[in-house]
Amino acid sequence: MSISIIPISRRELLAYRADVKGSIFRQIRELFSRLKEFGFTQKQFAQKIDMDEGQLSRRLRGDYDLQLETLSDLARGLDCRIEVRLVPLASNAAHSVTPASPIKTAVTKFGKLPDSSSGQVAQNDNSTLIDVVAS
């Protein structure tokens, strides 16, 4: 059986990267906003992650395209870690492999994906792709 490969456009890949980073960033900003209500200041946050307060302010405003390392530092400064899971694309979305993606076929057949944290298989419950969770 021959599999035809359809390349994913650069534009689509860039949009996906922005969506992944944006999801993490929104959760960080939301949690920081809630913590401010309890007296946690931007100055304390900056000190906790050894970052200049002005630099932190610019990052929290979204003035920069944040790298994963910075997002990780921000999450850690909020006593959280970033969890990432791979979830198959929706069945009606365009796939890069036709007629059937080997990954989609395996998930359809078994309804499961490997859970990277435990090395075991996790149920495909279509949960959130990325979560910033408290440690």
Side-chain angles (χ1 to χ4, degrees), residues 2 11 14 26 30-31 37 39 60 63-64 66 97 120 125 131 134:
S2 176
R11 183 181 203 167
L14 290 173
R26 281 187 298 277
E30 182 180 315
L31 179 56
E37 294 172 10
L60 290 173
D63 291 352
Y64 293 95
L66 299 177
V97 179
Q120 300 197 353
D125 60 3
D131 289 315

Side-chain angles (χ1 to χ4, degrees), residues 73-94:
D73 291 349
L74 294 173
R76 187 64 188 98
L78 297 172
D79 294 329
C80 292
R81 61 188 165 85
I82 298 170
E83 286 190 351
V84 179
R85 287 179 2 126
L86 293 178
V87 179
L89 297 173
S91 60
N92 60 355

Side-chain angles (χ1 to χ4, degrees), residues 4-33:
S4 172
I5 304 295
I6 301 171
I8 301 170
S9 72
R10 177 116 175 105
R11 183 181 203 167
E12 184 179 345
L13 290 172
L14 290 173
Y16 180 74
R17 288 179 202 162
D19 187 49
V20 169
K21 288 180 183 180
S23 176
I24 297 169
F25 182 65
R26 281 187 298 277
Q27 291 176 70
I28 288 170
R29 284 186 56 173
E30 182 180 315
L31 179 56
F32 178 59
S33 179

